[in-house]
Amino acid sequence: MQVWPGQTYPLGATYDGAGTNFAVFSEAADRIELCLLHDDGSETAVELRETDAFVRHAYLPGIMPGQRYGFRVHGPYAPESGQRCNSAKLLLDPYAKAVSGEVKWDESVYGYHFGRPNSRNDLDSAPHTMTSVVVNPYFDWGDDRLPRTPYHETVLYEAHVKGLTMLHPALPDEMRGTYAALAHPAVIEHLTGLGVTALELMPVHQFVNDHRLADSGLSNYWGYNTIGFFAPHNAYASWGDRGEQVLEFKQAVRALHEAGIEVILDVVYNHTAEGNHLGPTLSFRGLDNASYYRLTDDPRYYMDTTGTGNSLLMRSPHVLQLIMDSLRYWVTEMHIDGFRFDLAATLARQFHEVDRLSSFFDLVQQDPVVSQVKLIAEPWDVGEGGYQVGNFPPLWTEWNGKYRDTVRDLWRGEPRTLAEFAGRLTGSSDLYQDDGRRPLASINFTTCHDGFTLHDLVAYNDKHNEANGESNRDGESHNRSWNCGAEGETDDQGVLELRGRQMRNFMATLLLSQGVPMLSHGDEFGRTQHGNNNAYCQDSELAWVHWPDPEGAGAAEAGSGNRDGSGGSSTLLAFTRAMVALRREHPVFRRRRFFHGRPVEGTHDDLSDIAWFTPEGEEMVQRDWQAAHAKALSVFLNGNAISEPGTRGEHIADDSFLLMFNASADEIEFLVPVNHGRQWEVVVDTAHEDGVPPGPGPKVDAGDRLALIGRSLTVLKRPA
């Protein structure tokens, strides 16, 4: 076999049409072998003799796409010094563009013998571990372009590749649960019909199914256990795992882009699947443990701010390079439109504290590629001081956990929530205004993958996670949920009607709030997980989306629990579509600047751009905001007083709206304010089964009184 010196860059395996360049970093290694793996189980070892700046490299002519490979690292095995090199362990390439196979949990993939954590294990891991794959980088993207939908026009839809598509009745069996399914016309038609502009995919980086879960007959369904930051997860590919997963993923992105839908990835750069000091040796640990991981004062152990056993070392230049190279790769080669960063506070831990000025954010800010796509932070981790909502740099948007909590508190009837709710409804200026950000920095959500579904939020007071095998100890215990009078499944029609109304309240509130709305897959159908609020290990029908039957009469299967007491899942779906459309058609609901609370200069309107009223039609004063019993208010949104200009500098004018919220249990009469418009039209009323009046809505005059039943929302429109 010919072995040429090759190049140090790019890292990983790079095919150029005639052969493949291999390059891998390790400061700890004495020597590294590149192992080419054959289908008969044998391997050919090639020592990487060329070394520059701790990068070992070689070029092998004739090595083609589909070739499986791994590394064996010869070097110190001294856990007490933070080093864990062991040439008996076949290691994944940290820069592998594709991964073949899965980990078959065996003692050989660990660096120690079971029961003897201080021993050294020299069993060969090759028969039981995953392997890296050389991929063909060439793909016909045609005229594909990133849609670049501005934030104020964005509607996010968080989804799981398998969970969204596994039970779709229009998909062939062999396609379900795969990247190809995302590109199927039936799935794309649903997303476009709903009004979704961006599909936020739960982790699709290559991840590992935990040993503990596998032994329990469960799996890491969510995928927050990354081992390959460049490789699409191979189990979601319908064709094969020798590079086919890369082509299939690209085809899905291209199809979604053709429909005008952006693709955003939920990425996990805060830790890896190798776990703590008792975890397996799969890649980073065996290459250069101390360069990749945050170790404690005793280097045998790992600092863990993620709850997964380890945290990547964010002050290491090699870790920062890995992350930035990965982000750029997914944008430039895979045409990804943005990223949602899991436990992003960990990425800011350059030392111990969360630091907004850490090296990672500096690198992102100045990067000409990564800085131009959507960057969404999950602004917390499990470490000390890890809750950082509102504290990320101006380039970033954030999952707004305070929005979720406040909206839930309002609709379940908690006292003294009006003032906080008003701030969340109007874009959370207390969190984002001082650092120069706008309402669009707030990613608003009431539900997501982590926690109750929308249906379960109004059907359960308590979590029911027994299926996870942890005696119901896992998952959040304080869900701010309310079961509307019965825990779980019920035939009580009154309870079912109230639950349906509550789901409409949540959906309408979300889509009429300033900021960027995010829906959780299946909530538009009222899907249930039967009270399980932590379905991370449930790769089953419990967590998959049950689609409505083609006739739209309700849930496809009784087990899906898609009953909202208001005509079935099709009714809730129609209401969600209507709310997305209302938001899309009216810029007053998706402002790019915060409200001023006064008339806006130059808009030819003497009324304030926003005004708050008691149910009696009187403008709110301090005592009204603080009244413990107060659970109802109205807000006027002035469509003639939008301060931001259009794309060509033109004044934006819109209809005006009056939003009436009654979060109390009792019916309340609302007086329509007398000085903010003479005649109004009812366009939303969650008290009704469909939530949206058919055709032209009922007309209401200034000074009229409207009776809103307990826990309902009404929206009035005044033409511009």
Side-chain angles (χ1 to χ4, degrees), residues 208-243:
V208 174
N209 185 20
D210 312 53
H211 194 167
R212 176 186 67 83
L213 293 175
D215 284 350
S216 302
L218 302 169
S219 66
N220 194 316
Y221 169 64
W222 284 352
Y224 292 95
N225 205 32
T226 304
I227 196 63
F229 295 108
F230 294 77
H233 187 60
N234 55 24
Y236 297 154
S238 61
W239 305 348
D241 69 357
R242 298 287 185 90

Side-chain angles (χ1 to χ4, degrees), residues 3 30-34 45-50 56-58:
V3 180
D30 295 328
R31 62 190 184 93
I32 297 179
E33 291 177 301
L34 165 68
V46 177
E47 184 170 348
L48 302 179
R49 298 183 182 276
E50 298 293 327
R56 297 167 192 261
H57 51 91

Side-chain angles (χ1 to χ4, degrees), residues 121-141:
N121 180 342
D122 289 322
L123 296 172
D124 185 4
S125 69
H128 299 98
T129 194
M130 301 180 288
T131 56
S132 308
V133 180
V134 177
V135 305
N136 187 342
Y138 305 109
F139 180 77
D140 183 9
W141 282 103

Side-chain angles (χ1 to χ4, degrees), residues 368-446:
V369 174
V370 180
S371 65
Q372 298 306 302
V373 299
K374 288 183 168 70
L375 301 171
I376 305 170
E378 182 187 36
W380 50 78
D381 66 14
V382 300
E384 183 180 353
Y387 193 76
Q388 293 290 320
V389 174
N391 291 332
F392 276 70
L395 191 64
W396 292 68
T397 62
E398 302 175 11
W399 271 27
N400 190 344
K402 293 186 176 181
Y403 177 93
R404 172 200 58 203
D405 295 346
T406 303
V407 172
R408 289 185 178 191
D409 280 347
L410 176 85
W411 285 116
R412 71 190 179 112
E414 286 295 291
R416 293 189 174 91
T417 57
L418 291 186
E420 178 95 1
F421 172 71
R424 303 297 160 236
L425 183 75
T426 54
S428 296
S429 60
D430 60 321
L431 299 178
Y432 305 115
Q433 191 168 32
D434 289 346
D435 59 12
R437 288 189 283 176
R438 301 286 176 84
L440 301 168
S442 178
I443 305 297
N444 297 330
F445 65 105
T446 54

Side-chain angles (χ1 to χ4, degrees), residues 77 79 84 111-120 277-278 300:
Y77 183 81
R84 296 178 179 267
Y112 62 94
H113 292 283
F114 292 164
R116 292 183 289 148
N118 295 323
S119 63
R120 172 175 170 142
H277 63 289
L278 298 178
R300 292 176 298 173

Side-chain angles (χ1 to χ4, degrees), residues 76-79 82-86 277 281 285-286 289 299-302:
Y77 183 81
Q83 299 298 348
R84 296 178 179 267
C85 300
N86 186 338
H277 63 289
T281 299
R285 172 173 284 142
N289 187 58
R300 292 176 298 173
Y301 305 112
Y302 297 83

Side-chain angles (χ1 to χ4, degrees), residues 90-103 105 129-132 203-209 223-234 268-269 271-275 280-287 293 310 312 322:
L90 185 73
L91 304 177
L92 283 173
D93 181 356
Y95 278 72
K97 306 300 191 300
V99 172
S100 178
E102 62 181 359
V103 178
W105 292 111
T129 194
M130 301 180 288
T131 56
S132 308
V204 298
H205 286 175
Q206 185 68 46
F207 62 85
V208 174
N209 185 20
Y224 292 95
N225 205 32
T226 304
I227 196 63
F229 295 108
F230 294 77
H233 187 60
N234 55 24
V268 189
Y269 292 113
H271 73 280
T272 79
E274 291 185 303
T281 299
L282 305 175
S283 179
F284 308 91
R285 172 173 284 142
L287 277 165
Y293 293 116
N310 66 59
L312 284 172
L322 173 80

